[in-house]
Amino acid sequence: MVPPMSTSANQFALLRQRRFAPFFWTQLLGAMNDNVFKFAFTVLVTYHVQVDWLPPALAGLVIGAVFILPYVLLSATSGQLSDKFDKSALMRRVKDLELAIMALGALGLSQGWIGVLLLCIGLMGLHSTLFGPAKYAYLPQHLAEHELTGGNGMVEMGTFVAILLGNVLGGLLIALPSDGWLRGTEAVAIASLVLAVLGRVAAHFLPASPSSEPDLRINWNPLSETWHNLRLAHEQLAVFRSLLGISWMWFFGAVFLAQFPSFAKEVLHGDERVASVLLVVFSVGVGLGSLLCERLSHRHVEIGLVPLGAIGMSVFAADLYFASRGLPSVAQQDVRTFLAQPAHWRVLADLFGLSLSAGLYSVPMYALIQVRSPASHRARIIAANNILNALFMIASSVLVGLLLSQGWSVPEVFGLTALANAVVAAYIFGLVPEYLLRFIAWVATHFVYRFERRGDEHIPLQGPAVLVCNHVSYMDAVLLMAASPRPIRFLMDHRIFAVPVLGAVFRLAKAIPVAPRAEDPQAYERALQTAQAVLAEGELLGIFPEGGLTPDGQLQPFKGGVMKILEAQPVPVVPMALGHMWGSSFSRIDGRGHMSRPLRRGVLNRVTLTVAPALAASEVSLEGLHSQVARLLESAA
């Protein structure tokens, strides 16, 4: 396992490191091989080899269903295997299986055995089912928390590049003329075998990934194990809702991917190469969105990007509906003629925008699942995610098929999907306010302040702790939320809940209102008891021990509530200091009323957060804590 403090310059630097590079190429080559073989076989039975039991009109649907069936039936078993055995060893065995499948596929291609090729499609689905949980459970074992977003972004980018290249390569190879020196079926067989060999070579260099639960007894009943895995995920509501959110993203994406050929032909009046252009734009958009996550998240698991992605998915999908309505009916166009029409560039821009947004939406959710799932059950929870993904994609195909059979046009389906995405997103964010809160914090640190963080790696990733910080503005808690990889429950002056908008935000964050003991002793004691319960549950507690906003920009004396909490719950204490906040938006100014001149220093003020290493509870005194925060403020000056 990688040490917690290990770092890499950026996500691309991971490609030079053994803990990531062999894994990246193993998964990319496997995904590419899936798509080369699957797409070539689809083209083969659609255009070249006709069999009565697999009519061309149903070939794509049947092949897709056979490929995805193992995800539904065997993901639960796969998750158990990934938790029980070394993940790298398991991935090597899976790549051995891929070699055997491709050898059988080469035989089927050479002999024209369609039944054998369809069996190979199902076996490749099994290969991907076995690989999936090990893939996502591997990353947290070898990447630090601040590298997970970048690592997942690279994986998602690689997956969609593999899908794109696999479809293009499979289509080109199977179209080779039958009277040439190399027939299309032979070329596909050779390419699939070469990709399988390269994938196995890459897997050979995977570092050890020890079992997270070696004594696990395998439950071979997929139904009961799937239910058990979903219950495990449900124990962490943020994880469970993230599973649903990712599955919805696959529902959303499947609507567009499945309709590209029809959309290109019937709506855009383009040939099959125009459909390929749509696939290229979609794949590039998802890949770039996935890579952007690391830059936009300051290398933390930033789920505040999820609402941003959801908004983009709905906005661009809705505009795609309007952009594609009423396009003039013309003769079938090639790519050059298609791109010469300005109206088509709007269509491509919308498609790129919604796919980029889907990348921003999905990567933080994958990272959150990896970080917050128990290590002993991580692969099984990811297996449950794969099952839900498969079911949602099947539901997408069925519902879209019903709509089209009832006379809906493809643009109307896209418009309905945009509306449904907005409703689903609002529902999920209502159930898990953390997404919305992190989005607010992300917006504040990108468009209100220029937020610089120093030492934020000292905020613990697990276990209870008290975060102690100076209090300068009404936005202090929002800034601390942006810096923390985990939710923070704040003890806050009860009067702040009366501030419009901010009061609603803090209620949403389940902040704990506290009144001065002299003003309301019962409320004071109740707040301390709630704070102790938060720590007992292993959460982070944020405290501003000055008891209110500083009236003059100077650090005020600390009140004794923090020491009372530590007496009952002796947990680590993390000193923090917000610098350059005095006189900025939402702070008091020159001793006058709060926000008397809120934009005095303008928008995008430079603001710093400095975090010191955690102190053991036994080392903490009120005076010492005050001195530590004061020193942090001096260092930020």
Side-chain angles (χ1 to χ4, degrees):
M1 183 177 297
V2 66
M5 291 300 296
S6 84
T7 60
S8 54
N10 56 52
Q11 55 198 342
F12 294 102
L14 292 171
L15 291 175
R16 299 193 296 270
Q17 301 178 30
R18 186 185 170 193
R19 60 196 174 108
F20 184 80
F23 164 77
F24 175 82
W25 293 112
T26 300
Q27 67 88 26
L28 184 145
L29 290 164
M32 186 174 174
N33 209 5
D34 282 346
N35 285 278
V36 167
F37 193 86
K38 186 168 60 172
F39 190 74
F41 180 47
T42 303
V43 172
L44 181 69
V45 296
T46 301
Y47 293 100
H48 303 291
V49 178
Q50 305 296 319
V51 289
D52 294 338
W53 54 271
L54 189 60
L58 296 178
L61 180 63
V62 171
I63 290 169
V66 170
F67 183 81
I68 207 168
L69 186 62
Y71 281 92
V72 179
L73 298 180
L74 298 171
S75 283
T77 304
S78 174
Q80 294 177 87
L81 294 174
S82 295
D83 277 335
K84 183 175 178 62
F85 299 108
D86 182 294
K87 296 168 188 61
S88 298
L90 180 62
M91 284 190 273
R92 282 190 278 270
R93 299 293 79 78
V94 171
K95 303 316 284 185
D96 291 337
L97 173 63
E98 183 183 4
L99 282 169
I101 295 169
M102 288 301 99
L104 180 62
L107 178 63
L109 285 166
S110 66
Q111 300 298 317
W113 294 340
I114 301 302
V116 170
L117 295 177
L118 192 60
L119 172 64
C120 289
I121 292 291
L123 292 173
M124 287 301 290
L126 172 62
H127 156 272
S128 298
T129 301
L130 293 171
F131 193 83
K135 173 174 75 172
Y136 284 109
Y138 172 96
L139 287 175
Q141 281 191 275
H142 294 274
L143 302 185
E145 184 272 340
H146 63 273
E147 296 173 312
L148 271 179
T149 295
N152 277 285
M154 292 291 290
V155 169
E156 290 303 296
M157 178 274 296
T159 298
F160 276 89
V161 167
I163 292 171
L164 175 61
L165 294 178
N167 279 281
V168 171
L169 184 60
L172 290 174
L173 293 179
I174 198 67
L176 290 175
S178 58
D179 56 352
W181 69 275
L182 185 65
R183 295 185 302 165
T185 52
E186 295 170 343
V188 171
I190 293 171
S192 296
L193 283 169
V194 168
L195 288 171
V197 169
L198 291 176
R200 181 60 182 85
V201 170
H204 176 76
F205 296 98
L206 288 167
S209 306
S211 166
S212 55
E213 194 173 355
D215 297 328
L216 174 68
R217 296 185 63 181
I218 302 294
N219 175 12
W220 298 101
N221 184 329
L223 296 179
S224 64
E225 184 61 24
T226 297
W227 179 248
H228 176 65
N229 292 348
L230 290 173
R231 289 180 61 188
L232 282 173
H234 196 266
E235 293 175 3
Q236 292 275 349
L237 282 181
V239 170
F240 183 71
R241 268 61 183 270
S242 294
L243 299 184
L244 295 178
I246 290 172
S247 297
W248 170 257
M249 190 277 292
W250 283 105
F251 180 105
F252 179 92
V255 170
F256 293 91
L257 285 169
Q259 296 308 311
F260 280 166
S262 176
F263 184 56
K265 180 180 179 181
E266 305 297 335
V267 179
L268 303 179
H269 310 294
D271 59 18
E272 64 274 10
R273 291 181 177 83
V274 172
S276 297
V277 169
L278 300 182
L279 176 62
V280 169
V281 171
F282 188 90
S283 300
V284 170
V286 173
L288 287 179
S290 300
L291 294 178
L292 273 174
C293 286
E294 184 191 51
R295 183 173 182 82
L296 295 177
S297 66
H298 289 282
R299 307 188 73 195
H300 277 301
V301 177
E302 181 51 86
I303 61 174
L305 295 177
V306 175
L308 179 66
I311 292 169
M313 288 161 66
S314 281
V315 168
F316 288 111
D319 193 66
L320 181 62
Y321 160 70
F322 290 110
S324 56
R325 290 182 64 205
L327 290 174
S329 179
V330 296
Q332 191 175 77
Q333 306 169 87
D334 59 18
V335 172
R336 182 187 296 272
T337 307
F338 172 80
L339 293 178
Q341 305 299 317
H344 294 156
W345 282 97
R346 178 182 172 188
V347 169
L348 295 178
D350 286 329
L351 189 60
F352 177 79
L354 73 87
S355 58
L356 184 144
S357 299
L360 293 176
Y361 176 93
S362 63
V363 168
M365 284 193 172
Y366 276 116
L368 180 141
I369 291 170
Q370 292 164 341
V371 167
R372 299 197 189 172
S373 297
S376 59
H377 298 81
R378 187 178 286 136
R380 280 169 282 174
I381 290 174
I382 293 169
N385 175 63
N386 290 343
I387 296 171
L388 289 174
N389 292 172
L391 294 175
F392 272 63
M393 285 190 285
I394 292 170
S396 171
S397 298
V398 172
L399 290 175
V400 171
L402 288 174
L403 290 173
L404 294 175
S405 68
Q406 295 300 311
W408 287 57
S409 67
V410 173
E412 287 171 340
V413 170
F414 290 170
L416 180 63
T417 304
L419 179 61
N421 182 71
V423 172
V424 170
Y427 177 70
I428 291 176
F429 302 148
L431 288 176
V432 188
E434 187 183 350
Y435 288 114
L436 186 58
L437 292 169
R438 292 299 295 245
F439 176 61
I440 293 170
W442 184 85
V443 170
T445 54
H446 285 75
F447 299 101
V448 179
Y449 302 103
R450 287 186 293 113
F451 191 42
E452 298 178 8
R453 316 169 198 209
R454 305 169 186 171
D456 55 345
E457 67 274 7
H458 297 309
I459 301 174
L461 300 177
Q462 295 178 336
V466 175
L467 310 182
V468 171
C469 189
N470 61 316
H471 202 9
V472 189
S473 82
Y474 285 125
M475 292 294 286
D476 293 350
V478 174
L479 296 178
L480 297 190
M481 281 193 289
S484 173
R486 298 165 56 196
I488 305 172
R489 294 284 300 277
F490 288 95
L491 265 175
M492 304 187 72
D493 189 323
H494 69 292
R495 288 167 292 195
I496 203 171
F497 291 86
V499 178
V501 181
L502 285 176
V505 169
F506 295 136
R507 277 190 288 272
L508 199 61
K510 298 181 181 179
I512 305 165
V514 58
R517 179 189 290 176
E519 181 180 323
D520 190 341
Q522 290 184 339
Y524 177 82
E525 291 298 330
R526 187 164 54 247
L528 292 187
Q529 291 172 7
T530 304
Q532 292 162 4
V534 166
L535 295 172
E537 293 170 3
E539 298 184 54
L540 295 178
L541 178 71
I543 298 180
F544 301 105
E546 295 166 273
L549 296 183
T550 174
D552 56 8
Q554 301 302 309
L555 186 65
Q556 304 300 300
F558 284 3
K559 301 186 183 301
V562 61
M563 300 308 298
K564 289 183 176 294
I565 292 171
L566 291 175
E567 287 174 8
Q569 293 288 339
V571 302
V573 178
V574 182
M576 317 171 80
L578 282 164
H580 307 283
M581 282 296 290
W582 178 246
S584 68
S585 303
F586 299 100
S587 74
R588 299 184 189 277
I589 298 174
D590 299 334
R592 294 174 292 171
H594 62 81
M595 293 180 62
S596 56
R597 292 170 62 193
L599 299 181
R600 178 176 180 237
R601 290 179 53 204
V603 181
L604 293 177
N605 314 309
R606 175 175 171 265
V607 171
T608 61
L609 174 68
T610 308
V611 185
L615 302 171
S618 59
E619 301 173 356
V620 175
S621 68
L622 203 60
E623 295 77 12
L625 201 54
H626 186 279
S627 298
Q628 177 81 327
V629 174
R631 286 195 296 271
L632 293 175
L633 279 172
E634 290 175 2
S635 69

